[in-house]
Amino acid sequence: MKDNIGNESKVRIVKNDREEYKSASDIKDIFDRLFKKCLTLSARAVINMINGLYNTDYPLDSTVSYNWTEFLDDKMKKVLADTIITINGQYSYHLEAQMSNDRTIVFRVFEYGFSHAYRTREVAEGSCRLRFPKPVVIYLYYEGKVPDEYTLLLEFDEGKDIYEYKVPVIKLPDISVEEINDRKMVILIPFHLLKLRYWIHNKHMTKSSEELKKLIECDIIGSIEKNHELGNITTADEQKLKHYTLLLCEYLYRNTDSDGLEVLRDMTDHSLMTEVDILCEEYEQKIDGLQKENDGLQKENDGLQKENDGLQKENDGLQKELADYKVRLAKYEKV
């Protein structure tokens, strides 16, 4: 089974001894959704990443808000088209994740940026303003040549006025683990696992099991734990990032035909990963328990409401009898 994102229209997926076929776009969507999950971690983690990506210095207590753009796909399923994050209600940043080289990405980035600017437009007499979010394209994985920057020329007045709309490019595979940690962009560390694709697709899969374990245990899991110790991410962030790493391990093992990846299967049973699964399971059980408790309280409340309605009806009857009694008493006193 071969997984060549961007090169094949169909990819075979083996799951539970049953073969399925997913399109390349479906697989891209898997990574895109996981990327968006990473961007919804704690404000502390997100602000640290924004500071690392854009060389800003926002305080960690800054507010983070999201401007999601949704559309319906062919299956009438909601899809989040873009991620625009606003810091302190004023400064906006547009992040796009890519898995293969796309020369037209700059058009989509501009389109989404314009939509956001129009939604937040400033209208004044004689002058209006559109504030575009600051964009960046993050390549989680790529093959071939990818530019360091995309440029879109905006031409006005028959070419007399030409403006350049520039979109910088971040190539995650080219960034070392040390740099990711130094720039506090640990949110992106699970995708460091995609380095395996280079070894496989370039037929250089000569890494030993120990080297693969180092990639996962030291470079990825170790970085997550180190950033948690330093206070760059919360405890919940740490557990979620480990869980996302587990998901990528499982995905790559199930959907990549190559010898030497058994270590990925072993990692799914690793104590670090099992701890995350247990915590996630406990969390889901607590949620289910709280929901059942809430349903029980709601049922009890409905019973009390019904009883209260009965008492209210009885009270209304007594009030009516009392009123009738007062009327009869008044007539008797007159006599």
Side-chain angles (χ1 to χ4, degrees), residues 56-310:
T56 52
D57 58 353
Y58 294 111
L60 296 184
D61 60 353
S62 300
T63 60
V64 176
S65 56
Y66 297 88
N67 308 273
W68 303 109
T69 299
E70 294 182 346
F71 68 90
L72 297 177
D73 62 11
D74 296 336
K75 299 177 182 179
M76 300 304 291
K77 183 179 179 181
K78 280 188 178 181
V79 175
L80 295 176
D82 62 328
T83 304
I84 297 177
I85 297 174
T86 300
I87 307 296
N88 293 330
Q90 185 175 1
Y91 306 101
S92 296
Y93 300 89
H94 181 187
L95 294 81
E96 282 289 329
Q98 282 291 108
M99 287 292 294
S100 60
N101 191 5
D102 182 0
R103 290 178 294 180
T104 66
I105 183 66
V106 66
F107 294 109
R108 296 199 301 277
V109 172
F110 178 80
E111 179 183 1
Y112 297 147
F114 174 79
S115 296
H116 175 77
Y118 186 74
R119 287 194 303 270
T120 58
R121 63 191 180 276
E122 298 177 5
V123 179
E125 185 176 351
S127 176
C128 300
R129 182 182 294 247
L130 295 176
R131 294 182 181 273
F132 277 69
K134 194 169 183 179
V136 67
V137 173
I138 302 174
Y139 275 91
L140 305 176
Y141 173 85
Y142 69 91
E143 291 182 346
K145 293 184 178 180
V146 171
D148 297 327
E149 182 180 69
Y150 288 107
T151 301
L152 178 64
L153 299 179
L154 304 176
E155 182 177 321
F156 299 90
D157 194 15
E158 297 181 351
K160 293 181 181 178
D161 295 317
I162 298 180
Y163 298 88
E164 292 184 340
Y165 176 75
K166 294 182 177 294
V167 180
V169 171
I170 298 293
K171 304 171 190 177
L172 190 61
D174 297 345
I175 301 178
S176 67
V177 174
E178 291 76 18
E179 185 177 352
I180 290 176
N181 288 326
D182 289 343
R183 295 169 67 178
K184 300 180 181 180
M185 300 191 303
V186 69
I187 279 182
L188 303 175
I189 199 66
F191 299 102
H192 198 67
L193 193 62
L194 293 174
K195 283 184 176 290
L196 288 171
R197 288 180 174 274
Y198 289 107
W199 301 337
I200 295 168
H201 292 173
N202 295 329
K203 302 185 184 300
H204 292 156
M205 188 59 193
T206 57
K207 302 292 182 180
S208 66
S209 296
E210 291 304 317
E211 289 176 301
L212 292 179
K213 284 186 178 181
K214 179 182 179 298
L215 171 69
I216 299 170
E217 293 182 343
C218 298
D219 293 350
I220 298 178
I221 299 300
S223 293
I224 294 171
E225 293 178 343
K226 178 182 178 181
N227 277 270
H228 176 242
E229 292 173 1
L230 293 173
N232 296 331
I233 57 176
T234 65
T235 299
D237 294 335
E238 178 190 15
Q239 300 301 334
K240 288 179 181 178
L241 287 172
K242 288 181 178 179
H243 185 60
Y244 298 156
T245 302
L246 169 63
L247 294 178
L248 282 177
C249 281
E250 290 180 337
Y251 173 80
L252 290 174
Y253 176 72
R254 290 179 181 274
N255 305 312
T256 306
D257 185 15
S258 178
D259 296 331
L261 289 183
E262 289 77 11
V263 65
L264 294 180
R265 177 192 59 199
D266 297 337
M267 287 304 298
T268 61
D269 296 325
H270 194 280
S271 59
L272 288 171
M273 299 302 188
T274 303
E275 177 188 358
V276 178
D277 287 338
I278 292 174
L279 289 172
C280 290
E281 185 176 350
E282 289 178 350
Y283 174 78
E284 292 177 357
Q285 289 176 350
K286 286 182 180 179
I287 292 297
D288 291 339
L290 288 173
Q291 185 61 49
K292 289 180 181 179
E293 184 179 347
N294 181 68
D295 293 342
L297 290 173
Q298 185 62 47
K299 187 175 182 180
E300 183 179 347
N301 181 67
D302 291 342
L304 291 173
Q305 185 63 46
K306 187 175 181 181
E307 183 179 347
N308 182 67
D309 292 342

